[in-house]
Amino acid sequence: MGHGPEQVISSDQIKRRGGLMFAALIRLGQAALTALAACVIVFALLPLAPGDPANRVLLARGVETPTPAEIEATRVELGLYDPMPVQFINWLGNVMQGDFGLSFTSQASVTQEILERLPATLILLGLALGFSIVFSLSFALIAAGFRDRWPDHLIRIYTQIGAAFPTFVFALLALTFLIVGFQMGQVLADVTWQAALIPAFIIGLDRAASWTQLLRAGLLQAMASGYADVARTRGASEGRILLRHALPNAILPFLTAIGVSIGALIGGAPLIEAIFTWPGLGAYVLEALSARNYPVIQAYVLIAALSYVAAALLVDLAAILLDPRLRDPSK
Amino acid sequence: MTSLAKPALSCSGLSVRYPNGSMPVRNVSFSVAAGECFALLGGSGTGKSTIARALLGLHGGGSRIGGSLQLDGVDMAQASKADWRRIRGHKIGFVAQNPWVSCDPLRPVGDHVAEAWRCHGLPVRWAEIVARLDRLGVPEAAVRIHAPPHTWSGGMLQRAAISAATALTPPILVADEPTSALDADRAQSVIQALKSAGSAILLISHDIDLVLRNADRIGVLDQGELVEVATPSDLRSRPRHPATKRLLAALAPLPPRRKATSPSPLIRLEAAGVSYKRGRIQALPATNLSIGAGEIVGLQGPSGSGKSTLLRLVMGLETPSTGTIWRDPILQRPGAILPVFQGPLASLVPHWPIWRSISEPLTARGQPRLSKQQLKARAAEAMQSVGLELVDPHARPAELSLGQCQRVAIARATITRPALIVADEPTSALDSPSIQHVSTLLRQAADHGAALLVVSHDQGLLARLADRTVTLDAKNLQATTSGHTQD
């Protein structure tokens, strides 16, 4: 970026800066509403589930044949006679303080149990996300820069294969050859960054396939656009056009795709962790699902939903920072 | 204008051969002297844009350039990509057709201009950028260069593009239809800005009116060959080649109206206006308009003045928020109002044979049921009436020229003899001969009794075609009517 001329701030510009704040506030408000809606749905899992919650809680506490008095006492204790909105607000208040209640199966605090397992999942997913962003960005730029030459052909074969097969195929291959065959990494993994490398690499490589396709297509479209052509007539090199003009214009759909798949990534974590025997939340959540351990399921679904909302918000904010048309109040 | 110095640009025997062996440009020779404005004039498909791309070295990897192409005395016909990159901007500048398309939408306009220096690794002189924009007629340039392209008007943005193209003072500036995306009243001032920028100009256009007014010399292209070079006055008074004569025919007045217009209106808008979001967004201010049978009403106004909304009101696709619309009962039957759109190709179903598009209005509710053979026969009749009798009715729209596609659209719009035809910029995508053809056809439809509402930014067209013209003004939010004297 060169130095601009002396900064003259006109009322026009102030309005535009106001436009940025306004657009950002709108997105924030929308995100808050989405988060609230997610909370309502997650809360509704419990009262909408079949059977008497009091019975289930008592069963979880080891009371197999409770007396009517015991059931009555538990109902009062759980606040089941309160109107639904009051129950929701109580529940939401607890959740905001990090209290998801007691696990139906272990009687331990759900929050405590999740916090023990969360770091492992975060390490794996974070590393996988990082890998996939780096892979897709570099592959797409290489493919677009070498359009219709061998690097492009190679990358397109990779994206086809990656998009065609589900992750676990590659995971199994990696397990068989890399980890068992060549003794790289561990079968029963400890939670360390090193141990997460190979699984994250595989997940990242797989995720990156469709993102590479998306970004490559966007880059090629931008390279064929009028502004790219005009930049050529000014004497700009292809590389300069690719990085300065095509990439910023093509990156928004790419960021949106990443934002959308964050929720899917967390939702799909149990499967991935099961393959690599990764001691994260996966096994815990699978177990909770089969035991209908609602407080655990609620906590996990809420984490996935809120991560999605946060990611979508970040993508939206990036979009209005990047594209002046999106913060123009007249549009 | 003569100059003893070497020409800014000279081609001799220039040809372009595509990988498939076809030659869209053959044996073209001309030169542009320093300070001269030389125009290449031709209809669509005559090789204008191919020449422009070849002159900039953007002819594409597979294409081959033959002959010689000298820029400022250096032969570039066989130059490498790296050679081309060095001389672009320095020896030759380019102004594209649509200023919004040619600016990166994410970057402020100042960046777009500064790129001219930056991509050659030169320091950006902001004070000079502002001063040059100021000279080209951009007010408050110092502030405006921080704004993104979508906030600029077309005329202003095209000035910025001119400033960027001439930043390194190239001896020659290639301008490919630089005004066809602009409103007519802004086009002339942009041409003035182009000429004042200091380079010799190669103006590429299909608009014979524009070229006659502005060029020092004109070269007429026909089927990839340069068939005639003359000064504007010679071209006008003594055209030699048939292609030139065809282009000049576009300036000829249309035949006089055959039928007097009926005094009783077919549709009448009384203070009809449209607003959205509870009146906060006004799409169309209260407007009075009445159209009688057989009458041609022109409609013009800057973008955003409500032209499209008014069309939608007339077609019944929108209801007025204020005021009333009275329609003759004849307009209630299906197919009584038919449209002709701006993009002829986009308005035809791509995989349908054209006979099916043309005869589609005959299949509307209320029409007698016809067999496929009957529909084809009616379509063939309609094609004859628009001069397409030599075109295969089974052809797909992509096999036709744009002008032919628009004639197909007109055949479709007239096949049921509708009471009202609504045409939205029907000629803006067409070259001069096609414009003449299409306006003659629209005039014929009116002579047969149809009422016509024609939106166009081409004032010359409206003056020739319409009985009167309504102007929507964005500032005054008022519709004013002016009549054309035609006898």
Side-chain angles (χ1 to χ4, degrees), chain B residues 9-29:
Chain B
L9 164 74
S10 103
C11 305
S12 119
L14 183 75
S15 65
V16 179
R17 183 191 290 274
Y18 283 160
N20 65 12
S22 68
M23 290 181 69
V25 174
R26 287 185 304 277
N27 195 23
V28 167
S29 305

Side-chain angles (χ1 to χ4, degrees), chain A residues 144-225:
Chain A
F146 293 88
R147 185 183 187 178
D148 291 333
R149 285 188 272 163
W150 67 263
D152 184 26
H153 293 311
L154 219 59
I155 287 168
R156 277 158 75 183
I157 292 171
Y158 146 71
T159 59
Q160 293 292 326
I161 295 174
F165 292 99
T167 314
F168 63 79
V169 175
F170 302 104
L172 286 175
L173 287 176
L175 206 62
T176 315
F177 290 105
L178 294 180
I179 299 180
V180 178
F182 296 100
Q183 312 271 300
M184 299 161 72
Q186 300 141 296
V187 179
L188 282 167
D190 303 326
V191 183
T192 58
W193 289 95
Q194 289 87 341
L197 267 180
I198 287 181
F201 182 85
I202 297 296
I203 302 164
L205 207 57
D206 179 69
R207 285 264 151 200
S210 55
W211 295 352
T212 305
Q213 265 179 340
L214 183 78
L215 187 58
R216 175 185 174 275
L219 286 173
L220 289 183
Q221 200 190 345
M223 290 299 280
S225 68

Side-chain angles (χ1 to χ4, degrees), chain B residues 290-356:
Chain B
S290 84
I291 310 173
E295 190 180 25
I296 306 178
V297 177
L299 179 61
Q300 63 180 7
S303 356
S305 60
K307 296 192 298 278
S308 307
T309 312
L310 183 54
L311 283 195
R312 292 174 62 80
L313 268 186
V314 168
M315 291 175 75
L317 297 176
E318 189 121 18
T319 48
S321 334
T322 55
T324 56
I325 298 184
W326 177 88
R327 283 188 179 80
D328 190 288
I330 199 171
L331 291 182
Q332 307 294 342
R333 79 180 156 87
I337 308 178
L338 285 179
V340 176
F341 296 107
Q342 179 168 16
L345 203 51
S347 70
L348 299 173
V349 182
H351 59 268
W352 279 11
I354 52 175
W355 71 263
R356 195 169 163 197

